[in-house]
Amino acid sequence: MEKLNTIKQDWLGNVRADVLAGIVVALALIPEAIAFSLIAGLNPMVGLYASFIIAMVISITGGRPAMISAATGAMALVIVSLVADHGLEYLLAAGILTGIIQIALGYLGIARLMKFIPRAVMVGFVNALAILIFQAQLPNFEGESWIMWAIVAASLVIIFLFPRITGAIPAPLVAIVAMTLLAVFMGLDTKNIGDMGTISATLPEFLFPNVPLTFETLMIILPYSISLAFVGLIESLLTAQIVDDMTGTDSNKNRESRGQGISNIIAGFFGGMPGCAMIGQSVINVSSGARGRLSTFVAGLALFIMIMTMSDILMLIPVGALVGVMFFVSYATFDWGSLKALRTAQKSDTVVMLVTVLVTVLTHDLSIGVFAGILTAAILFAAKISKVELDRNVEADHAHYVVNGQLFFASTSDFVNQFDVEEDVEAGIKHVTINFSNTHLWDDSAIGAIDKVVFKYRVHGIEPELLNLNKDSEKLLNTLALHLKQQDAGIGH
């Protein structure tokens, strides 16, 4: 019963807003699907097919209601060389294999890896996307007159001011319709969607990629498929987290991973390029009031209907109106609060965020940016917790040491250097205890450091006593410590 109520809420709990938001998203998908196809060296219809198929399928199979998935720039950049060297058929085969890999990763629980992505990386990811979305619109102004600028400005005015009149109709949709009517009836000389590529009213056909079923083919497409799988899942899972935060709800990210895979397999069999979640369109969708799966399904269905029945009209939409919408998306996507937080946030968080932004913007690759951010965060975290201090207390011929801090590969040198064995010997120390109650032994480097200290004391006939190790540390010590093995063998006494 509870599952039935969830399904009902996902599909029928917010019908009016979901339908209207889905239509807005469908309009925004058209120019991007065409542009992404051209980036990859493909016919515009390959991106359009992918966009409506993936959107409709993921609305059923995905784990994050109201998130939009379609053909994306991140995936297009990965496949450029594959298409150039081997053609469309190999791309379709790679897309199908990508889906299989994503399904496998979903069942293996790849979503667990999300907990290793710091918030600073998430913020950097969002801000980098906002910048890339803005940058992607700038080539549209090349060779254009003031009319283009005027349409963009007018669209932004409508988008920002119309909600003050009513929130019943999404402002981006009003802007697109208004600017299209203005351009058509006034005969404005400005670039429209038709100038970016031809939209033909033809249905996609089910087909098997026409490639040899050989090991050589597998070796050609496998590297691309692995890259596509991880780029797609990184962008999708991070976008899902963003939508989670925007809506105050949770999502099933392992199901989303599997859903992305199923969508890419079906798209590949129907002549579409692989895709993933789209942060820009997802923000448009949620900002327009969408909350359920119906919005994503409507986006795909509306795009399909528009391609089939309104291709001539769609090609009249001025690009300036859609650029205005995307500028708004860029503005809405950017985490402006992060700029204010630069003064108060920890320096390490600021560095991680900036590294993520810079690497993503410079490479135009979300996966590289995210990995760079995670790597930077890991290095800074290791440096932060690598500080280990020893408290030394001497009573007669006893030296008592208390270790404070985590003991692992980055802190072992400081740990060893703080023991002055020669000083203890000169002071007449006969007994040494090392208290580990305030630390944890994490790796074999920690055990190696303890071995080194013990062996230094043994040279002078002193056997250090190791105290208060926690259960896991003691187990690791007993398994790896050379000084214990020599002690058991009677060596060193």
Side-chain angles (χ1 to χ4, degrees):
M1 188 66 181
E2 183 179 349
K3 187 175 182 180
L4 183 62
N5 289 334
T6 301
I7 295 174
K8 184 177 179 180
Q9 181 63 31
D10 282 348
W11 288 94
L12 303 175
N14 190 38
V15 173
R16 185 173 179 278
D18 282 351
V19 169
L20 291 174
I23 294 172
V24 172
V25 169
L27 289 168
L29 283 174
I30 293 172
E32 294 217 352
I34 294 173
F36 297 149
S37 298
L38 297 179
I39 288 173
L42 297 166
N43 184 290
M45 293 306 297
V46 176
L48 290 169
Y49 285 157
S51 292
F52 76 72
I53 290 172
I54 291 173
M56 293 173 72
V57 174
I58 201 68
S59 69
I60 300 170
T61 62
R64 173 62 264 180
M67 188 168 76
I68 302 298
S69 294
T72 65
M75 302 291 264
L77 290 171
V78 174
I79 62 177
V80 171
S81 58
L82 175 62
V83 174
D85 295 339
H86 301 283
L88 174 62
E89 298 295 332
Y90 278 82
L91 166 63
L92 300 181
I96 293 169
L97 181 58
T98 296
I100 294 172
I101 294 172
Q102 289 177 326
I103 292 173
L105 291 173
Y107 278 110
L108 291 173
I110 190 174
R112 289 194 298 267
L113 297 179
M114 284 295 294
K115 66 183 179 181
F116 295 108
I117 301 179
R119 185 179 182 278
V121 175
M122 293 282 290
V123 173
F125 168 80
V126 169
N127 290 346
L129 274 171
I131 295 170
L132 290 178
I133 290 170
F134 181 86
Q135 287 182 337
Q137 311 313 311
L138 300 182
N140 291 309
F141 290 96
E142 295 179 2
E144 290 295 307
S145 66
W146 64 269
I147 296 175
M148 175 78 161
W149 293 91
I151 291 175
V152 172
S155 299
L156 287 170
V157 169
I158 293 173
I159 290 170
F160 280 105
L161 296 183
F162 188 79
R164 298 184 181 184
I165 301 173
T166 177
I169 304 175
L173 179 58
V174 175
I176 291 170
V177 172
M179 292 301 101
T180 302
L181 292 175
L182 183 69
V184 171
F185 286 109
M186 293 190 66
L188 299 180
D189 183 18
T190 185
K191 183 166 57 178
N192 56 36
I193 289 180
D195 297 323
M196 299 177 66
T198 302
I199 301 177
S200 57
T202 55
L203 289 169
E205 297 180 0
F206 180 83
L207 52 87
F208 286 94
N210 185 21
V211 297
L213 298 178
T214 63
F215 181 76
E216 182 181 357
T217 299
L218 178 63
M219 288 300 97
I220 291 173
I221 66 174
L222 183 60
Y224 292 98
S225 296
I226 293 173
S227 182
L228 286 166
F230 279 99
V231 168
L233 289 183
I234 288 171
E235 186 165 358
S236 297
L237 296 182
L238 289 179
T239 303
Q241 187 61 54
I242 291 167
V243 176
D244 287 353
D245 294 340
M246 291 179 68
T247 60
T249 58
D250 293 326
S251 58
N252 185 334
K253 294 179 179 61
N254 284 324
R255 177 179 173 181
E256 181 63 34
S257 301
R258 298 191 295 270
Q260 291 288 334
I262 294 170
S263 300
N264 281 324
I265 290 173
I266 295 176
F269 279 123
F270 280 93
M273 61 186 283
C276 63
M278 307 180 77
I279 179 63
Q281 279 64 32
S282 297
V283 170
I284 290 178
N285 200 38
V286 175
S287 299
S288 298
R291 292 295 181 272
R293 296 179 181 275
L294 182 63
S295 62
T296 309
F297 184 84
V298 168
L301 180 62
L303 178 59
F304 171 74
I305 293 174
M306 289 175 188
I307 295 170
M308 293 298 107
T309 64
M310 302 171 59
S311 56
D312 293 338
I313 296 175
L314 290 175
M315 288 193 289
L316 297 176
I317 296 175
V319 172
L322 294 164
V323 169
V325 171
M326 296 312 293
F327 277 167
F328 168 72
V329 170
S330 175
Y331 168 82
T333 301
F334 196 91
D335 186 349
W336 297 99
S338 64
L339 296 181
K340 297 179 182 178
L342 289 177
R343 295 181 180 178
T344 57
Q346 292 189 16
K347 290 182 180 179
S348 59
D349 289 337
T350 300
V351 170
V352 170
M353 190 267 283
L354 292 177
V355 167
T356 305
V357 171
L358 289 174
V359 173
T360 302
V361 171
L362 291 175
T363 63
H364 284 69
D365 191 316
L366 290 166
S367 61
I368 293 177
V370 170
F371 283 132
I374 294 173
L375 180 61
T376 303
I379 293 172
L380 293 176
F381 177 73
K384 187 175 182 179
I385 67 168
S386 65
K387 297 177 181 178
V388 61
E389 296 180 351
L390 268 60
D391 294 333
R392 180 173 180 268
N393 182 35
V394 177
E395 296 179 359
D397 61 350
H398 284 69
H400 303 279
Y401 289 91
V402 178
V403 184
N404 298 298
Q406 304 301 306
L407 201 54
F408 65 113
F409 65 89
S411 62
T412 53
S413 294
D414 288 344
F415 170 77
V416 173
N417 292 335
Q418 290 181 64
F419 286 95
D420 194 334
V421 178
E422 299 299 330
E423 181 183 342
D424 283 347
V425 172
E426 292 176 3
I429 298 299
K430 301 298 182 183
H431 304 282
V432 173
T433 59
I434 306 175
N435 190 333
F436 290 91
S437 58
N438 296 333
T439 191
H440 183 92
L441 311 184
W442 289 102
D443 55 16
D444 61 343
S445 296
I447 307 304
I450 293 172
D451 279 336
K452 189 177 292 185
V453 171
V454 171
F455 290 145
K456 283 185 177 181
Y457 278 108
R458 279 185 180 175
V459 171
H460 300 281
I462 302 171
E463 184 65 34
E465 185 179 2
L466 311 182
L467 304 176
N468 300 322
L469 288 153
N470 61 43
K471 184 177 180 181
D472 290 337
S473 297
E474 186 173 11
K475 181 179 179 182
L476 187 65
L477 185 76
N478 291 334
T479 303
L480 301 177
L482 293 177
H483 74 270
L484 292 180
K485 294 176 181 178
Q486 288 189 4
Q487 189 177 58
D488 291 342
I491 302 173
H493 292 284

